[in-house]
Amino acid sequence: MDQSSDAFAHGRRFEGRTAILTGGAKGIGRATALRFLAEGGRLAVIDMEPEDGDFAAALRRDAGDGGNRLLYVTGDATDEAQVRAAADTAEAGLGPADILINNVGFGANPRPIEDLGRDEWDRFLAINLTSAFLMTRAVLPGMRARRYGRIVNLASIAGRGISEISNLHYSTAKAAVIGFTRKLAFEEAANGVAVNAVAPGTVFTDRVRSRYEALDPADQAARMAAIPLGRAARPEEIAAAILFLASDDASYITGTTLDVNGGRLMN
């Protein structure tokens, strides 16, 4: 099977559309950014990585001609003032956002609750949950005014069931993302704004792959055996699900969390 991004070509569904994507320099966000640009959209990426750094340069390079429709903004999606400034910069550079993809997130290995400090708890909720709240609040008024919007939030299998390899605060935040998605979808349906989430299972981003390869071979085999499809996802496969929900192909879907986990969890 072709495992390159070329295997996911799907026309130009996003011609004339503008999106904001948080956390687009690496992993799932990067794969989503590249495919969105390949499908003709205009994209503002908001990420903590510097605009003149290696990750931003690689994103522009790999976007090819689509790089002309890419605006990279350095910003912290957990900081209200920076979110507002980044949203204003995106609109000034590319036009109003039709699509918001709240992708930024961060996980870690599990530890007992007594080993978790309040600062760490707050940080994980800010990165994985509050960032989606702040970005959504920044762009939603414009979507309402135009009576069109697509918001896609990144949840996780850790928020849908139990993930043995995620920590308590990450699992809690991702479960809350699903609740946030449902309630916002209910409130905004009358305004023409669809809100959905994607809940990946194990995805071999660079960071996750390094954690996996640090396990002994027996643990590695057990982790893959627990997935009916027998392997982890590629970031491009999660990007495909995100962009389906962001597109007009999903025009009658709202309030849904799409599980993309190789069968690891079936609801």
Side-chain angles (χ1 to χ4, degrees), residues 6-259:
D6 292 341
F8 297 96
H10 198 288
R12 294 176 72 84
R13 290 178 296 179
F14 300 106
E15 198 90 50
R17 296 292 188 198
T18 298
I20 294 175
L21 166 69
T22 63
K26 307 172 190 174
I28 293 169
R30 185 179 192 277
T32 304
L34 290 174
R35 177 164 177 178
F36 183 83
L37 292 166
E39 292 198 38
R42 298 181 295 267
L43 179 66
V45 166
I46 301 172
D47 199 287
M48 290 283 286
E49 295 290 343
E51 295 172 48
D52 59 353
D54 292 344
F55 286 104
L59 185 63
R60 293 188 186 98
R61 181 194 67 230
D62 292 346
D65 293 341
N68 296 325
R69 289 175 271 105
L70 171 65
L71 177 65
Y72 191 100
V73 183
T74 300
D76 182 353
T78 71
D79 181 281
E80 187 168 1
Q82 291 188 48
V83 165
R84 181 69 267 168
D88 290 345
T89 298
E91 182 163 353
L94 299 175
D98 304 297
I99 298 162
L100 171 64
I101 301 170
N102 287 310
N103 166 75
V104 69
F106 184 75
N109 292 326
R111 299 202 314 277
I113 189 170
E114 61 269 21
D115 292 346
L116 302 180
R118 173 64 186 271
D119 287 348
E120 184 178 349
W121 174 268
D122 289 346
R123 176 170 171 262
F124 270 75
L125 264 63
I127 293 170
N128 292 291
L129 175 63
T130 306
S131 61
F133 163 73
L134 292 175
M135 285 303 314
T136 299
R137 193 173 60 172
V139 305
L140 192 55
M143 290 180 173
R144 286 173 178 160
R146 295 184 298 278
R147 299 195 60 76
Y148 181 92
R150 298 285 185 268
I151 298 172
V152 184
N153 300 315
L154 261 291
S156 169
I157 192 173
R160 294 286 269 173
I162 295 298
S163 171
E164 300 89 344
I165 62 172
S166 68
N167 58 31
L168 177 64
H169 31 342
Y170 178 82
S171 296
T172 301
K174 290 303 188 181
V177 166
I178 294 169
F180 174 76
T181 298
R182 289 173 176 161
K183 180 59 175 174
L184 189 66
F186 177 77
E187 292 182 352
E188 298 303 327
N191 297 316
V193 179
V195 188
N196 293 289
V198 172
T202 302
V203 185
F204 271 172
T205 62
D206 290 343
R207 185 179 66 200
V208 171
R209 184 183 291 275
S210 66
R211 290 169 61 191
Y212 172 80
E213 290 176 349
L215 300 171
D216 66 56
D219 283 345
Q220 291 182 17
R223 296 282 169 83
M224 293 302 104
I227 303 170
L229 287 182
R231 63 174 177 85
R234 301 184 298 275
E236 292 83 359
E237 291 174 304
I238 309 305
I242 292 167
L243 293 179
F244 164 67
L245 292 174
S247 76
D248 288 339
D249 290 338
S251 58
Y252 199 61
I253 301 174
T254 196
T256 290
T257 297
L258 178 58
D259 293 307

